Amino acid sequence: MERVLFKPLSQVAICGGTHGNELCGVYMLKELPRDRSGTFSLTTVLANPRAVDTCQRFTEKDLNRCFTDTLLSDLLTEDSPYEVRRAQELNALLGPKGSEATMDLVCDLHSTTSNMAICIITHLNDRVGQHLFKYMREKIRSAPVRLILLTSPLSEGYSLDCLGKHSCTIEVGPQPHGVLRADVYNQMREAVDRMLEWIESFNSGTVFEGGEVEGYSMVEKKDYPRDPETQELTAVIHPQLQDNDFCLLKPGDPVFMTFSGETIHYEGDELYPFFVNEGAYYEKNTAFVLGQKQSLLVPSISVEKEQ
């Protein structure tokens, strides 16, 4: 199998608090060592301090949707949302996006109200992110570890982790927003520890063998049933779907239950639901995401040795 060579990951950033009410990432930053020896420098960033101070997802605009080329180059005015201003500050600190000066790896820490255990989110064209997932899946036994693949190139991403040459979002759950759960926090801690361990080993010359990995790529989003005039919900997630993220959804399976107790059945292709009943997605008109499972053949990788 071919081996792909990469430059060392010398500059690594771990961010938390991109959503101010997702507390695992906020508190994880407090525990990460500020001074460390090793093959890379570690920068920790509290991404959205105003939202963290008020324990809300964002103050004016979802920061994790503000890292498009358009918003990063937008001329700021007095009316610019705080999160757009903050995205440009973070781009200056960790980027600029797409440049040689940008961080080698940006990892963003998130939690979800959905029952998704540990998820690694990276891009289809990011071999480093995929190998991070492969290593965590092999090493972590406390919870399932799954891969969510973004099919767009890293350069076209809109989330904070796209500021790096390589990206990795660690998503853990279930955990209510504004709450810390010890088991979920410990899952994030283990994922972060394994990530730092992998980077150190990679930079030191370890060859990481390739192989097949399974991931989920998003196909579509499903909204809740709503009243056509008021747009108010007319049904909620069915108990048989609740907490069953990544379980294959087949035509005829229960997906929603009306407030009068009637069951609404799924119509569509066999796909895998995730982010089921995510609290923050009500405003995004998303009851759950449907994904397709795919198998990737990931090549072996190692660090490029200096000539």
Side-chain angles (χ1 to χ4, degrees), residues 269-299:
D269 297 331
E270 292 189 357
L271 293 168
Y272 294 85
F274 51 96
F275 284 115
V276 175
N277 207 12
E278 159 58 45
Y281 285 0
Y282 280 73
E283 68 174 31
K284 299 183 186 298
N285 298 327
T286 301
F288 52 88
V289 173
L290 284 170
Q292 191 169 35
K293 186 187 287 188
Q294 61 183 108
S295 192
L296 287 180
L297 187 59
V298 179

Side-chain angles (χ1 to χ4, degrees), residues 2 12 33 57-58 65 125 149 158 169 186 198 239 245 275 280:
E2 65 170 322
V12 175
R57 185 173 175 86
F58 54 84
R65 304 294 185 271
N125 65 338
L149 288 164
Y158 50 71
T169 292
N186 286 336
W198 183 91
D245 298 71
F275 284 115

Side-chain angles (χ1 to χ4, degrees), residues 123-177:
H123 287 254
L124 190 60
N125 65 338
D126 192 343
R127 298 305 192 191
V128 168
Q130 291 159 23
H131 266 277
L132 279 168
F133 158 74
K134 187 171 179 290
Y135 185 78
M136 291 185 206
R137 184 196 59 189
E138 293 167 355
K139 296 293 183 180
I140 295 175
R141 293 288 176 263
S142 60
V145 184
R146 299 183 179 94
L147 174 65
I148 297 176
L149 288 164
L150 304 177
T151 55
S152 61
L154 181 61
S155 60
E156 297 177 11
Y158 50 71
S159 52
L160 189 155
D161 58 298
C162 294
L163 292 181
K165 294 184 181 73
H166 302 283
S167 73
C168 175
T169 292
I170 298 175
E171 184 95 46
V172 295
Q175 177 172 271
H177 297 315

Side-chain angles (χ1 to χ4, degrees), residues 40-199:
F40 63 95
S41 66
L42 180 62
T43 300
T44 58
V45 180
L46 186 65
N48 195 338
R50 284 191 186 179
V52 170
D53 286 346
T54 54
C55 197
Q56 56 185 336
R57 185 173 175 86
F58 54 84
T59 64
E60 297 178 79
K61 187 178 178 66
D62 190 339
L63 178 60
N64 215 34
R65 304 294 185 271
C66 289
F67 295 92
T68 61
D69 292 342
T70 300
L71 288 176
L72 290 177
S73 60
D74 199 20
L75 184 64
L76 297 178
T77 69
E78 291 182 356
D79 297 325
S80 297
Y82 166 73
E83 277 80 9
V84 173
R85 294 176 179 274
R86 183 60 178 154
Q88 293 195 11
E89 293 173 0
L90 291 167
N91 188 45
L93 175 66
L94 304 177
K97 181 181 178 181
S99 73
E100 276 303 308
T102 195
M103 288 278 170
D104 296 304
L105 173 70
V106 174
C107 175
D108 200 17
L109 306 177
H110 287 265
S111 58
T112 172
T113 62
S114 304
N115 186 29
M116 290 169 57
I118 302 171
C119 288
I120 307 304
I121 306 174
T122 190
H123 287 254
L124 190 60
N125 65 338
D126 192 343
R127 298 305 192 191
V128 168
Q130 291 159 23
H131 266 277
L132 279 168
F133 158 74
K134 187 171 179 290
Y135 185 78
M136 291 185 206
R137 184 196 59 189
E138 293 167 355
K139 296 293 183 180
I140 295 175
R141 293 288 176 263
S142 60
V145 184
R146 299 183 179 94
L147 174 65
I148 297 176
L149 288 164
L150 304 177
T151 55
S152 61
L154 181 61
S155 60
E156 297 177 11
Y158 50 71
S159 52
L160 189 155
D161 58 298
C162 294
L163 292 181
K165 294 184 181 73
H166 302 283
S167 73
C168 175
T169 292
I170 298 175
E171 184 95 46
V172 295
Q175 177 172 271
H177 297 315
V179 170
L180 269 176
R181 282 182 49 159
D183 56 343
V184 176
Y185 177 83
N186 286 336
Q187 289 171 10
M188 179 176 281
R189 180 201 293 272
E190 187 172 11
V192 170
D193 287 346
R194 296 292 81 77
M195 179 185 70
L196 298 178
E197 181 179 274
W198 183 91
I199 296 169

Side-chain angles (χ1 to χ4, degrees), residues 185-253:
Y185 177 83
N186 286 336
Q187 289 171 10
M188 179 176 281
R189 180 201 293 272
E190 187 172 11
V192 170
D193 287 346
R194 296 292 81 77
M195 179 185 70
L196 298 178
E197 181 179 274
W198 183 91
I199 296 169
E200 192 67 51
S201 184
F202 172 78
N203 287 345
S204 299
T206 300
V207 176
F208 287 93
E209 299 298 334
E212 280 198 7
V213 298
E214 281 188 346
Y216 300 83
S217 56
M218 188 182 74
V219 174
E220 60 178 312
K221 300 175 182 178
K222 286 289 187 183
D223 192 10
Y224 297 89
R226 295 177 185 270
D227 183 284
E229 294 184 1
T230 66
Q231 292 304 301
E232 290 186 353
L233 301 186
T234 58
V236 294
I237 294 292
H238 194 279
Q240 286 184 228
L241 176 58
Q242 182 65 51
D243 298 328
N244 282 317
D245 298 71
F246 298 106
C247 292
L248 183 63
L249 193 59
K250 301 177 182 179
D253 287 347

